[in-house]
Amino acid sequence: MSWTEPKTWNIGEELNVQKLNTYLRDNENYLLSRPKHVITHRNYDVDISASLSVNNPIPVDDSVYTLQLDLKSDKIQVWMMATCMVNNITTTRGIAFDFLLNDTIYLSSMTSTALGRGLVSMGAKTAVVRQQLSFITNISGLTPGLITLKWRWQSFGATIGGIIMRTNAFLQIGVMEI
Amino acid sequence: MSWTLPKIWRTIDGLKSSLFNTYIRDNQLYLFNRPHNFVAINGTGTDFPIPSSYTSVPGVPIVDIETSGGDLEFIISFMVSGLNTRIITIDVLVNNKYYLSSYASRNTTEGLNAQHIDTNEGNDQQLVRVVIPNFAPGKHTFELKIKSNAGSCTMKLADAYVALGVREL
């Protein structure tokens, strides 16, 4: 359902069915359910065997974790909700998550270079430690139209491998127009 | 105020007040004040020893709302503490039938959120926020559930904030 900029009604203007459908019906439907894209995994298991490098964000899996939205306003809310564990013997290392907007800029920095700790990060533990790893943020000043957000991760501290995101857990990433 | 699917206007409908009241006035009121409910515990009661199987939290009421089939947002805020290595898991039981984490009568192993207490008596604030698209319309109840992997941990109630909120987006 599309959104049409509400019209300014004029005295003596004809009130026809086309105007009622466009400016009342369609806009009401749009406001009831504004655009959003939510990816939810129940009992997810993400286990990477490749190493993650420092300051080198790579896709978690773009075939699965790509969010798209046809934006009418200039504002979005983006979130991630996960339970993770980072099992690595060196506790000064860890993983960071970010989103790449339209293949050009990272949301953490709003530049082409992601921040080292991304939007949210978690240090490695010496034991199998579960930890909530979540963020939610609002972003404004975007250009209306189709936007794409791709989920990225990298390491901080040093290159690490053997990362296991906790199995049998709930994972959600999402974006919605606000 | 309920939501009525906006009508397709036809010439023969005419501009009747009853149609404008239902499809314009009532729907605008619905959009202005969409279904929501929210409960909070503002530092009352005593800290709750968390058992090893899912249980309700004393003093946290069941949240109920009637929805129109839109997307629902859940926000849960609470604090836990306990011994090192304890794992505390929370979930939401929907309509006394299934868990939000799994959409099944059994929750996922890690629930909606699992937190490992990393130091003895560490106080960990937890904030969970998830969106469930196209939630079935009707009357619903939502109940906060919590468990631990092995005793010796508590949900802080006496001097902490606990909240469960649900709203249609």
Side-chain angles (χ1 to χ4, degrees), chain A residues 15-18 20-21 24-29 31-34 36 38 40-43 77-84 125 127-134 136 166-170 172 176, chain B residues 3 5-11 15 20 23-24 27-28 30-31 34 68 71 73 87 100-103 108-116 118 125-133 167-169:
Chain A
L15 189 59
N16 58 36
V17 294
Q18 187 238 339
L20 290 173
N21 288 329
L24 299 183
R25 181 199 59 181
D26 292 353
N27 279 358
E28 279 188 349
N29 275 323
L31 292 174
L32 180 74
S33 185
R34 297 185 70 163
K36 59 180 68 68
V38 180
T40 301
H41 284 177
R42 295 176 165 89
N43 294 309
Q77 185 173 84
V78 186
W79 69 93
M80 165 184 165
M81 175 74 217
T83 294
C84 296
K125 311 290 183 184
V128 183
V129 173
R130 299 150 176 85
Q131 183 171 311
Q132 182 190 88
L133 196 54
S134 306
I136 181 168
R166 185 61 197 167
T167 59
N168 300 319
F170 180 92
Q172 184 172 90
M176 67 180 184
Chain B
W3 172 259
L5 188 67
K7 73 182 269 77
I8 297 174
W9 294 88
R10 302 168 302 171
T11 305
L15 295 178
F20 265 61
Y23 295 103
I24 309 301
N27 278 357
Q28 285 187 2
Y30 184 89
L31 292 173
R34 302 184 67 165
S68 68
D71 308 328
E73 175 192 66
I87 302 168
L100 207 56
S101 70
S102 62
Y103 264 31
T108 63
T109 304
E110 307 296 340
L112 277 179
N113 178 71
Q115 177 70 22
H116 213 117
D118 206 16
Q125 183 70 36
Q126 299 287 287
L127 177 62
V128 177
R129 188 270 194 180
V130 297
V131 174
I132 307 298
R167 69 171 180 142
E168 190 175 87
L169 292 176

Side-chain angles (χ1 to χ4, degrees), chain A residues 126-147:
Chain A
T126 53
V128 183
V129 173
R130 299 150 176 85
Q131 183 171 311
Q132 182 190 88
L133 196 54
S134 306
F135 76 91
I136 181 168
T137 188
N138 295 342
I139 295 168
S140 60
L142 300 175
T143 302
L146 187 66
I147 64 166

